[in-house]
Amino acid sequence: MATRIKQVEIAAGDYMRVHWFPVRNYHRGRRTKQFRPSSAAQKKYNQKRRELHLRDLLHANFTDLDFACRLSYDGESPDIEAAHGCIRRFLRRLKRAYKRAGAELKYIYCTERGKHGGRVHHHLVVNACPALTDNPYFFRRLWNNGGLPGKSYVYAAPLEFACGRDGDYEDGGLTGLSKYIIYDKQKETDKQYSRSRNLVEPQVRESIGAISRAAVDRIVETGDLTDLAERYPDYDIYKTQIDSFDAADPGAPPMSGTFVTVFLCRKAMTYNITGNITGGRR
């Protein structure tokens, strides 16, 4: 069956990524029922897409003024179900405090069991409210050990958008955080993270036929992205990722071929791709 190239642009904050991948020319009609389970390669690809979507949510909604927090328990930690109740009560208190200060709360969090000792804890990304969060003890006082007896343990630090001076975004910053949340194996729930409803979704634009298979093949062979750089003059290209799936491979996803992803960041962002401060905050 003939294939064409689909282009997907996802813009989130100061970051953008462009995907090119083959799609079949399906005839119009009712979709048939799936009759086989997803292959290992397809599951890995789906997992990668979830990690990228979480990173896009973080980029679209938070800045380097906001916080990444780790909320843990003193003494014996509660079970997962009780911990879910603790974090939900904490978020309700946090939301009321923000509202009194004239701010709207945004958050993403996950609950997990630690690898060493099996202690339950929470990872939380939350927007700043200067009237409250400028106080270094604000989160600790409000967490109050989840409402349980004992001391209150909170680690809170500003979000990192750049990681290293070598320009490698894959091992740190929000990319590293999203990977940690998505790929962690210690969670005892199918839901990998929870989020507030007021988060802004990344901007997605899709098109078919905007680029030819021959053009994608040339990019794969030569690595020349001159045309893409001219199309996005306000962005720098900092990484290209190429994945190939062979239809003859028993682990290949249903749509085989070459998948190309180009990662870009805005030139006028707070941090450039070498980790140096470039200007004012966005």
Side-chain angles (χ1 to χ4, degrees), residues 20 211 215 218-220 222-237 240 262 264 267:
W20 295 311
I211 187 171
R218 285 196 299 271
I219 290 172
V220 173
T222 67
D224 186 4
L225 296 170
T226 303
D227 292 341
L228 191 67
E230 293 175 352
R231 183 173 180 179
Y232 303 105
D234 296 332
Y235 289 82
D236 285 322
I237 299 171
T240 302
V262 180
L264 307 95
K267 293 179 179 178

Side-chain angles (χ1 to χ4, degrees), residues 163-191:
C163 59
R165 297 180 179 275
D166 57 355
D168 184 2
Y169 278 71
E170 289 302 306
D171 295 326
L174 295 192
T175 299
L177 179 60
S178 59
K179 279 186 175 182
Y180 181 85
I181 291 175
I182 292 295
Y183 287 98
D184 187 83
K185 304 301 182 183
Q186 302 299 313
K187 300 183 187 67
E188 299 179 10
T189 176
D190 292 334
K191 193 172 185 180

Side-chain angles (χ1 to χ4, degrees), residues 39-111:
S39 67
Q42 184 68 49
K43 289 180 180 178
K44 183 178 180 181
Y45 178 68
N46 293 341
Q47 189 83 337
K48 180 65 176 179
R49 289 180 61 188
R50 286 191 288 269
E51 177 259 310
L52 288 172
H53 180 64
L54 175 57
R55 185 179 66 172
D56 292 338
L57 279 177
L58 292 169
H59 282 148
N61 290 277
F62 300 97
T63 74
D64 55 342
L65 298 177
D66 300 324
F67 292 91
C69 303
R70 186 182 189 275
L71 314 173
S72 55
Y73 296 89
D74 186 23
E76 183 177 355
S77 63
D79 58 29
I80 290 291
E81 289 302 320
H84 286 326
C86 292
I87 185 66
R88 285 193 291 264
R89 288 191 294 271
F90 168 73
L91 289 172
R92 286 196 293 269
R93 294 194 297 271
L94 196 61
K95 185 176 181 179
R96 288 195 295 267
Y98 272 53
K99 186 175 181 179
R100 288 194 296 267
E104 184 179 27
L105 176 67
K106 291 185 177 183
Y107 64 82
I108 292 175
Y109 79 89
C110 70
T111 300

